[in-house]
Amino acid sequence: MAGARLGLIAFPRSRGRPVPAYRVCATFLPDGDQHRDLWVRDRRITFEPIDDAEDLVPRGRFVIPGLVDCHVHLTLDFAQSGLPPGSPELVDANLRGHLATGTFILRDMGAVSDATQRLSDEGRPRVHYAGRLLAPPGRYFGVQRDTPSEELVEVATREAKSGARWVKIIADFDESGDLLNGTPNYPQETLAAAVKAAQAEGARVAVHAVSPAGIEAGLAAGVDSIEHGTGISKRQLEEMAARQIVWTPTLVIAPGAAAMSREMGGERAERAVLNGFENARQMVPVAARLGVTILAGTDMCPPGSIWREVVALQASGLEPALALAAASTTARAFLGEPALAEGAPADLVLYERDPRNDPEFLTQPSLIMFRGQLIAT
Ligand SMILES: [Zn+2]
């Protein structure tokens, strides 16, 4: 659905003719319970009333500061656009798909080229990008930068030095598709040294970790985020809460991941992966209770699918406001991005119906304003 919109939307220009001042009166998502006013002046949010401001129309009764997808791969073609993987054209098409659904901030969790790095921010959603996907030869799905153990520290350091905010390491794998029983990709000391080296250069480190052993390896190495974490345990979540390590469960990819495992290792592997996602679903409310930061990410779904992960998080027992926060304010706070705050860029998405009651309403915004510019939907 979102995929069909790819390419139809243009990136707005942030400069040009002056824009009027606007007033918005709506319930602030994800956790507000009554209408409040905010104003937009010079493309920024203010809470100081402006007398002659126009009402922003079409109105919406609910407002969110733009959605966030914390696990995407902009250089891969999950919308099946046919554009070449790794090309700047594909990255732009994917970014348009996100923008058209009010998704303004993305954490790219591993690339197959440096196309994302080379694009300007102007008019495009903000991307917190990782460098390449790092895994040893034969120990991922073939899209990695082949990085044997003896090169990991050097490559991770280089990625961080090149300006990547994140370094993404594939921590575990199983060639037979039984990813829940995957084994670590790197010796523990090597992984720990690579994490330390990247962090010393100012980057954060995310690991793809599905199996209990892979998650354990990531935690022992001191990573900043666990991606997928399908086989995660309560004890590991306790450790993450204590050390402020975040979790991106990507529940929404369960059917896709199961299909891949079936192709690799038949029904047994498929069943193992589905059981793993059942475990992850049960662990989501446990993680929330323990105080682990949960981020919403859609990984191999087409751009504009973040609402599906909000649905999945809700279905696993996360409170509606927390599930929506995982795709908005919680993610923004974690990434150091402002929300509905004085002086913040006017990133506003309005809805007529409360998406906490049904996250599918997130697909029908009444209005999208990105950095003070109205986006045609
Ligand atoms: Zn991924």
Side-chain angles (χ1 to χ4, degrees):
M1 172 174 43
R5 286 162 143 185
L6 287 188
L8 294 179
I9 194 168
F11 295 122
R13 290 177 191 281
S14 56
R15 282 177 277 277
R17 55 201 163 82
V19 284
Y22 294 108
R23 184 183 81 117
V24 176
C25 175
T27 299
F28 289 13
L29 296 170
D31 47 13
D33 54 10
Q34 57 190 13
H35 280 45
R36 288 180 60 190
D37 284 332
L38 67 79
W39 287 264
V40 175
R41 181 169 39 209
D42 298 334
R43 304 174 198 270
R44 292 191 175 267
I45 292 169
T46 179
F47 293 95
E48 270 174 42
I50 303 171
D51 287 343
D52 54 351
E54 294 175 19
D55 276 323
L56 200 50
V57 283
R59 289 176 210 205
R61 295 191 299 128
F62 299 87
V63 62
I64 202 164
L67 297 166
V68 184
D69 190 332
C70 273
H71 190 126
V72 300
H73 298 282
L74 294 167
T75 54
L76 294 172
D77 188 17
F78 296 119
Q80 296 181 314
S81 71
L83 292 166
S87 66
E89 294 77 20
L90 176 60
V91 174
D92 262 350
N94 284 331
L95 287 172
R96 285 192 188 98
H98 286 293
L99 193 57
T101 53
T103 312
F104 297 157
I105 297 174
L106 305 162
R107 190 174 60 137
D108 189 285
M109 281 283 83
V112 301
S113 75
D114 61 358
T116 309
Q117 240 163 299
R118 286 189 281 109
L119 286 178
S120 98
D121 212 26
E122 170 134 24
R124 295 181 174 86
R126 176 164 342 262
V127 183
H128 290 245
Y129 65 87
R132 308 291 174 97
L133 294 149
L134 307 181
R139 296 288 295 176
Y140 196 51
F141 298 104
V143 291
Q144 73 269 27
R145 181 199 187 283
D146 280 338
T147 311
S149 293
E150 56 275 19
E151 291 176 17
L152 184 66
V153 174
E154 185 202 322
V155 172
T157 307
R158 203 164 60 221
E159 295 278 14
K161 277 194 164 145
S162 77
R165 296 199 200 193
W166 287 86
V167 170
K168 174 75 179 292
I169 301 173
I170 309 301
D172 61 2
F173 194 65
D174 185 288
E175 290 89 343
S176 76
D178 185 356
L179 302 173
L180 260 293
N181 283 309
T183 49
N185 270 347
Y186 292 104
Q188 189 62 48
E189 327 69 78
T190 306
L191 182 63
V195 169
K196 217 172 160 192
Q199 288 169 339
E201 293 297 337
R204 293 201 264 187
V205 180
V207 283
H208 160 112
V210 178
S211 66
I215 297 163
E216 203 58 32
L219 297 183
V223 300
D224 299 279
S225 87
I226 298 286
E227 302 303 302
H228 317 302
T230 318
I232 210 158
S233 68
K234 183 169 180 234
R235 189 197 52 73
Q236 288 170 330
L237 288 168
E238 283 165 352
E239 189 178 338
M240 288 165 70
R243 296 170 59 194
Q244 296 189 307
I245 298 169
V246 305
W247 181 27
T248 319
T250 63
L251 299 175
V252 72
I253 66 165
M260 283 164 82
S261 278
R262 187 191 179 91
E263 221 167 89
M264 292 163 77
E267 248 172 66
R268 220 189 110 261
E270 179 187 29
R271 214 169 23 241
V273 167
L274 287 173
N275 287 341
F277 276 99
E278 184 48 40
N279 170 70
R281 276 190 286 273
Q282 288 174 16
M283 285 297 133
V284 163
V286 175
R289 266 199 307 279
L290 291 169
V292 175
T293 296
I294 297 169
L295 302 174
T298 62
D299 197 16
M300 56 168 124
C301 299
S305 299
I306 192 63
W307 68 276
R308 291 179 191 275
E309 182 67 1
V310 179
V311 170
L313 289 170
Q314 269 198 21
S316 73
L318 203 58
E319 274 174 46
L322 284 179
L324 189 52
S328 59
T329 46
T330 299
R332 281 175 176 264
F334 174 68
L335 295 171
E337 298 283 354
L340 299 176
E342 181 72 33
D347 285 353
L348 307 170
V349 186
L350 274 68
Y351 308 94
E352 263 312 311
R353 289 185 287 183
D354 190 342
R356 292 171 295 195
N357 296 336
D358 181 350
E360 198 170 345
F361 296 159
L362 293 171
T363 63
Q364 297 156 33
S366 52
L367 178 143
I368 299 176
M369 174 175 272
F370 177 57
R371 295 182 200 157
Q373 295 270 114
L374 292 171
I375 303 281
T377 58

